Amino acid sequence: MLKCIVIAAIVAVSSLSVMSSLSYASTDRYPADFSEMDTNKDGILTWDEFHAYYPELSKDAYDGADTQNDGRVTPEEWKAFVNKPR
């Protein structure tokens, strides 16, 4: 029984670290992490939230992160965008 509890705890901690890396992705080029930009904390990055952090960038940059073309950037889309080779 104790072995099952330990394994469950390890899996839970591993899951949290994966979720954390999705939510807080940032790079030198895009230093703001997702959670900073997502000001209303709904798990979605809007154009207005993005533009507030990067006013010098055009909507084309935001659209580049919005791979589902739904007008919303998820933490997964943001992570893929900031880690995409340029």
Side-chain angles (χ1 to χ4, degrees):
M1 179 70 170
L2 181 60
K3 187 175 180 180
C4 290
I5 292 171
V6 170
I7 291 171
I10 292 170
V11 169
V13 169
S14 297
S15 297
L16 287 175
S17 71
V18 168
M19 290 301 292
S20 173
S21 69
L22 289 175
S23 298
Y24 302 105
S26 64
T27 63
D28 290 339
R29 183 177 174 141
Y30 298 101
D33 65 59
F34 189 91
S35 66
E36 285 179 85
M37 293 185 294
D38 181 20
T39 55
N40 66 356
K41 305 303 180 205
D42 64 353
I44 300 296
L45 186 62
T46 65
W47 160 245
D48 290 336
E49 290 170 323
F50 176 84
H51 191 62
Y53 273 83
Y54 298 109
E56 72 281 5
L57 297 179
S58 71
K59 183 129 176 1
D60 289 340
Y62 175 82
D63 291 342
D66 180 18
T67 57
Q68 294 178 357
N69 299 315
D70 58 3
R72 306 159 17 130
V73 176
T74 64
E76 295 83 6
E77 286 175 308
W78 180 249
K79 183 178 181 183
F81 177 71
V82 298
N83 291 317
K84 187 177 184 179
R86 306 271 182 238

